[in-house]
């Protein structure tokens, strides 16, 4: 029997390839990126100052992925987010006050403070901190959409490390077998907590998609315009004649896994920063950047002040 050669080369870390030149964004897209950046940075300082309890995982360095994708999803599409979900939530709802209140357990919290950073339900948006748990549920929702000919998508955001969960493969198998309109968004930041991808993944995401015959697309780009243009037809196709699709985005995790638990060499993080959209965009479009950056910082300051002066969220156990 002929043996198949499977690549053992994992997706290159973003630092391995030169960053693509960024193109000008609309003010709306740039504001979304900056709002997420300032929200996440501020959240880490709130934790460091002891003003927030529990844990949190920020998406610093990965903001361009949800900002590029969210406008391609219909409000009735079902989004399943994961433990690193603030950027997903903010790109979908632009509601920093509801999210911060949720994380701090204050009045105005989107889930009355019982979900916290990782477990948020709002309409057709649900996040979970359990790696891989969303995939079978997303496949079920996609099955419902297909059966009812609704032309809606179920979307699940997962990290590279989550490809170690068996439930992912059960869901992918059903999704391809039953032609489910399921978009799996892979935020491949080259690390799972403290384990680099090369130590936890044999082969590649592309190999795994190919094993199921699922359409796969991968990019290193941090350009919102470029990503959106490239994946729009793939998502449209998955919605129109239902089928699954796996979209993989290389990204650099600039922050710690959660709050202060970064075991990486600072030189590696510095290399990731060179590819970060934030400084590159500032250098390329300084006027637009500085105005909106200051506005985003002010918005987040205001949100922190308001939420911090609010009373506890009103949740009474039944
Ligand atoms: C089933 C399960 N096992 C372990 C964990 C603890 N955990 C939380 S995030 C994480 C790493 C996730 O890595 P990846 O999927 O690459 O996402 P990233 O954190 O890089 O965004 C781990 C092990 C968990 N939340 N759920
Ligand atoms: Mg990861």
């Amino acid at each position: 029997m002929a043996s198949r050669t499977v690549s053992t080369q994992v997706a290159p870390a973003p630092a391995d390839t030169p960053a693509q030149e960024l193109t000008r964004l609309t003010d709306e897209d740039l504001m979304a990126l900056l709002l997420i950046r300032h929200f996440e940075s501020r959240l880490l300082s709130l934790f460091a100052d002891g003003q927030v309890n529990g844990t949190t995982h920020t998406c610093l360095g990965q903001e361009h992925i949800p900002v590029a994708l969210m406008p391609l999803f219909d409000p009735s599409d079902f989004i399943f987010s994961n433990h690193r979900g603030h950027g997903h939530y903010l790109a979908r709802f632009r509601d920093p006050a509801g999210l911060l209140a949720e994380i701090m357990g204050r009045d105005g919290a989107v889930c009355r403070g019982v979900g916290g950073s990782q477990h948020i339900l709002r309409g057709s948006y649900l996040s979970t901190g359990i790696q891989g748990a969303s995939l079978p549920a997303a496949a079920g929702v996609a099955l419902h959409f297909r059966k009812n000919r609704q032309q809606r998508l179920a979307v699940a955001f997962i990290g590279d490390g989550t490809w170690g969960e068996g439930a992912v493969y059960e869901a992918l198998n059903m999704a391809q077998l039953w032609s489910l309109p399921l978009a799996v968004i892979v935020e491949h930041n080259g690390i799972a907590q403290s384990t680099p991808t090369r130590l936890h993944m044999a082969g590649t995401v592309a190999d795994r998609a190919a094993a199921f015959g699922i359409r796969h697309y991968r990019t290193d780009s941090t350009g919102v315009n470029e990503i959106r243009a490239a994946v729009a037809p793939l998502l449209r196709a998955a919605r129109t004649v239902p089928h699954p699709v796996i979209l993989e985005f290389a990204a650099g995790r600039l922050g710690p896994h959660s709050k202060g638990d970064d075991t990486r060499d600072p030189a590696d993080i510095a290399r990731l920063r060179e590819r970060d959209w934030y400084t590159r965009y500032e250098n390329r479009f300084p006027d637009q950047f500085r105005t909106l950056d200051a506005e985003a910082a002010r918005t987040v300051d205001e949100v922190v002040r308001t939420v911090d002066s609010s009373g506890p969220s009103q949740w009474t156990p039944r």
Side-chain angles (χ1 to χ4, degrees):
M1 193 169 74
S3 66
R4 183 172 164 257
T5 307
V6 176
S7 163
T8 52
Q9 180 68 45
V10 296
D16 293 349
T17 48
Q20 191 187 27
E21 180 112 81
L22 293 172
T23 55
R24 190 179 176 91
L25 301 176
T26 62
D27 284 359
E28 192 186 353
D29 282 337
L30 181 55
M31 196 58 193
L33 286 173
L34 292 167
L35 183 71
I36 300 171
R37 173 64 55 108
H38 283 280
F39 183 94
E40 296 289 58
S41 304
R42 194 61 192 275
L43 195 55
L44 284 182
S45 47
L46 289 170
F47 267 100
D49 295 346
Q51 287 179 262
V52 185
N53 298 313
T55 194
T56 200
H57 309 80
T58 67
C59 68
L60 292 165
Q62 307 186 179
E63 301 90 343
H64 56 285
I65 303 168
V67 171
L69 297 182
M70 282 304 167
L72 302 175
F73 302 135
D74 189 82
S76 69
D77 289 342
F78 207 112
I79 311 282
F80 289 86
S81 174
N82 64 357
H83 60 287
R84 205 174 293 288
H86 305 160
H88 309 155
Y89 179 86
L90 293 174
R92 184 136 165 118
F93 299 113
R94 308 284 161 97
D95 172 32
L99 179 58
L100 186 64
E102 182 62 36
I103 293 168
M104 295 181 79
R106 299 296 173 84
D107 202 24
V110 61
C111 293
R112 293 183 294 166
V114 295
S117 165
Q118 300 180 72
H119 297 101
I120 296 200
L121 174 66
R122 177 168 171 175
S124 56
Y125 176 99
L126 177 69
S127 65
T128 173
I130 309 298
Q131 281 181 267
S134 64
L135 257 285
V141 168
L143 177 62
H144 171 76
F145 290 163
R146 188 178 70 78
K147 284 195 158 189
N148 290 284
R149 300 183 195 286
Q150 291 183 324
Q151 300 226 329
R152 292 162 71 186
L153 283 175
V155 180
F157 284 84
I158 62 173
D160 48 285
T162 303
W163 289 82
E165 291 292 334
V168 169
Y169 302 91
E170 296 181 40
L172 292 181
N173 185 55
M174 288 184 275
Q176 177 66 355
L177 206 53
W178 300 337
S179 304
L180 305 183
L182 171 68
V184 179
I185 312 299
V186 187
E187 296 180 306
H188 191 156
N189 56 17
I191 193 164
Q193 201 147 353
S194 55
T195 309
T197 310
R198 68 187 155 75
L199 298 182
H200 73 64
M201 185 186 283
T204 63
V205 172
D207 288 337
R208 294 168 188 219
F212 290 100
I214 296 178
R215 192 173 294 179
H216 168 264
Y217 168 84
R218 180 186 183 285
T219 182
D220 285 326
S221 175
T222 52
V224 166
N225 294 328
E226 293 69 21
I227 290 175
R228 198 177 287 156
V231 305
L234 301 174
L235 290 171
R236 201 177 311 119
R239 183 195 300 286
T240 317
V241 180
H243 62 266
V245 62
I246 297 173
L247 307 176
E248 182 187 358
F249 302 94
R253 193 194 82 198
L254 297 181
H257 169 68
S258 51
K259 293 162 304 179
D261 51 353
D262 211 334
T263 51
R264 294 173 296 178
D265 184 339
D268 290 341
I269 301 169
R271 268 195 295 278
L272 294 179
R273 284 201 177 276
E274 281 170 25
R275 286 185 51 88
D276 182 26
W277 60 266
Y278 187 83
T279 316
R280 288 192 297 120
Y281 198 88
E282 178 179 19
N283 293 337
R284 183 123 167 74
F285 302 103
D287 294 343
Q288 184 199 22
F289 179 91
R290 282 176 199 146
T291 309
L292 295 190
D293 191 53
E295 192 182 324
R298 273 197 306 275
T299 301
V300 170
D301 275 351
E302 184 59 36
V303 164
V304 171
R305 256 197 309 278
T306 308
V307 171
D308 199 32
S309 59
S310 305
S313 56
Q314 299 302 315
W315 181 72
T316 40
R318 277 190 267 273

